[in-house]
Amino acid sequence: MKIGILGAGQLGRMLALAGYPLGFEFAFLDPAAEACAAPLGGHLRADYLDQDALAKFCSGIDLATFEFENVPQQAAEFVAARVPLLPGPQALSAGQDRLGEKQLFVALGIPVPKFAAVSSRAELEAAAQHTGLPAVLKTRRMGYDGKGQSVLRSAADFDAAWAQLGAQPLILEAFVPFEREVSCLAVRGRDGAMRFYPLVQNVHRSGILRTARPRAGDPLQTLGEDYARRVLRQLDYVGVLAFEFFAIDGGLLANEIAPRVHNSGHWSIEGAECSQFENHLRAIAGLPLGSTALRGASAMVNFIGAAPPLQALAALDGVHAHLYGKLPKPQRKIGHATVTAESDALLEARLAALQPLLHQDDV
Ligand SMILES: Nc1ncnc2c1ncn2[C@@H]1O[C@H](COP(=O)(O)OP(=O)(O)O)[C@@H](O)[C@H]1O
Ligand SMILES: [Mg+2]
């Protein structure tokens, strides 16, 4: 079976790495010259809206998926009219607009921080009355790794934030003084079967994920699964979906969903019985889903800006390096390590041994 992937970044690369043992083949479409999945399949370098390229992409594959949630809706519909595209265009669009996402959560009875749409400077004042301060002003579309966001602490911050972001449709959200950030990685098969990984505790800095650590028995596990299940069913979703939450006051507030495999699930390659990448492929190919159980203690550490020398990483027990083949650049995710151990204490010791090797951007 040949699977076409829209987007050829590190998520596409790791999907392909998980798929070859199952006998799958891959083709990628991505406008970028520097596409780190390209060595793992044919890379059609074309704009997502280039219909000739899309038609060529579809003619050589049995089914399609995406690893980038900002693939234009028209491209998704074009592909879905020719080969099964999973998750479908409806799921893709649900993850593209922060306002639409929040409205979906509200409709499904999932708690969210206070929010308001902002499309003019006057609306910003009114929105801030509703959310209170501090608040986070975000572009509705295209943001990632904290880009397109500005924290408003007082009315004195409004002008600068508006000058920076005001050209696009925006959303203002109350700033949540969360106790923890967690994500629920969920997978739903073509037959509607669902599985959930143990909740992952995530640490971000400057809007970028730094570490992700799954924990069995999180007191919020059942609640996270319940909220994820509502979204999966509503979107008739097939594949892996990541749901990011703020944990506060014994409950969860929904932040955002990503309709794809997710950085907070990378630990699952070594840390779970079946990785998020294999489970995504199993789901879209109509196979039974794999076990989401942990294989022991694990944690993921991102390499941002630069990666430690492989020589040094390879010398550490329990450290599994993943280097994406991307050029080093400030604030760019260029790799990660999953650290595994038989006990939490040993995991802590191994994480401490890795720490001095990290680029100062990562610390
Ligand atoms: N309303 C908020 N309250 C507190 N922190 C927030 C809020 N919104 C975003 N953040 C912080 O910024 C990070 C990135 O924001 P997010 O909305 O998830 O956008 P992105 O698409 O860049 O991941 C979050 O993981 C969180 O740490
Ligand atoms: Mg996020």
Side-chain angles (χ1 to χ4, degrees):
M1 179 181 293
K2 192 158 189 173
I3 299 175
I5 303 182
L6 293 164
Q10 66 264 24
L11 301 178
R13 180 179 167 108
M14 286 185 273
L15 280 167
L17 287 169
Y20 280 109
L22 306 179
F24 296 146
E25 292 179 86
F26 295 88
F28 300 93
L29 188 143
D30 193 314
E34 225 189 90
C36 70
L40 287 134
H43 174 206
L44 204 53
R45 186 182 168 200
D47 191 89
Y48 289 119
L49 293 172
D50 177 338
Q51 295 213 343
D52 292 338
L54 283 173
K56 190 170 163 208
F57 173 71
C58 292
S59 69
I61 58 176
D62 300 294
L63 70 117
T65 188
F66 46 86
E67 58 101 74
F68 172 60
E69 75 259 35
N70 290 315
V71 170
Q73 189 66 17
Q74 304 95 293
E77 274 156 20
F78 186 96
V79 171
R82 285 159 183 79
V83 292
L85 174 71
L86 298 165
Q90 182 203 4
L92 176 70
S93 73
Q96 289 182 335
D97 180 357
R98 293 188 194 278
L99 181 65
E101 258 174 44
K102 290 279 188 314
Q103 289 165 338
L104 172 70
F105 302 151
V106 171
L108 295 173
I110 301 169
V112 295
K114 278 191 182 169
F115 69 94
V118 175
S119 53
S120 70
R121 180 68 175 77
E123 270 181 18
L124 179 56
E125 307 282 343
Q129 291 291 326
H130 173 66
T131 60
L133 293 176
V136 191
L137 188 64
K138 302 181 180 179
T139 58
R140 280 172 54 179
R141 293 181 170 273
M142 301 301 278
Y144 70 99
D145 285 349
K147 292 186 174 63
Q149 301 193 12
S150 183
V151 177
L152 308 180
R153 301 195 183 278
S154 76
D157 296 332
F158 288 17
D159 281 336
W162 185 255
Q164 184 198 337
L165 302 172
Q168 310 128 82
L170 303 171
I171 180 172
L172 187 69
E173 297 174 13
F175 185 91
V176 180
F178 54 79
E179 291 138 23
R180 301 185 289 146
E181 282 195 89
V182 297
S183 56
C184 181
L185 291 147
V187 57
R188 184 167 181 268
R190 282 188 172 199
D191 60 358
M194 288 181 256
R195 298 225 190 190
F196 304 88
Y197 287 90
L199 283 197
V200 188
Q201 193 161 316
N202 300 315
V203 176
H204 296 82
R205 217 172 30 262
S206 309
I208 304 178
L209 183 67
R210 306 294 161 154
T211 63
R213 184 157 173 178
R215 294 216 192 249
D218 192 299
L220 296 169
Q221 181 75 30
T222 312
L223 194 60
E225 289 185 15
D226 173 27
Y227 294 159
R229 194 177 288 112
R230 294 183 205 185
V231 171
L232 290 174
R233 287 208 176 113
Q234 176 67 25
L235 298 175
D236 194 18
Y237 197 91
V238 177
V240 166
L241 174 120
F243 202 154
E244 295 182 12
F245 296 102
F246 302 121
I248 182 165
D249 297 336
L252 293 171
L253 293 179
N255 176 23
E256 63 170 351
I257 50 170
R260 53 169 171 76
V261 289
H262 193 253
N263 194 175
S264 70
H266 290 359
W267 57 269
S268 65
I269 297 173
E270 293 86 6
E273 291 290 340
C274 181
S275 76
Q276 64 163 347
F277 300 101
E278 181 174 337
N279 253 334
H280 183 74
L281 297 172
R282 287 184 184 220
I284 65 175
L287 296 167
L289 302 179
S291 167
T292 50
L294 299 183
R295 283 199 254 169
S298 69
M300 186 231 45
V301 179
N302 266 341
F303 300 144
I304 314 287
L310 187 55
Q311 188 77 24
L313 289 171
L316 297 174
D317 282 341
V319 172
H320 310 272
H322 296 258
L323 304 175
Y324 307 150
K326 290 164 71 172
L327 291 174
K329 188 177 160 188
Q331 307 300 310
R332 177 184 271 182
K333 291 174 182 169
I334 61 166
H336 74 267
T338 304
V339 183
T340 57
E342 299 77 50
S343 68
D344 283 341
L346 185 57
L347 181 66
E348 293 297 347
R350 287 178 169 174
L351 284 167
L354 175 60
Q355 196 66 19
L357 297 183
L358 297 178
H359 186 255
Q360 73 182 46
D361 265 14
D362 297 341
V363 181

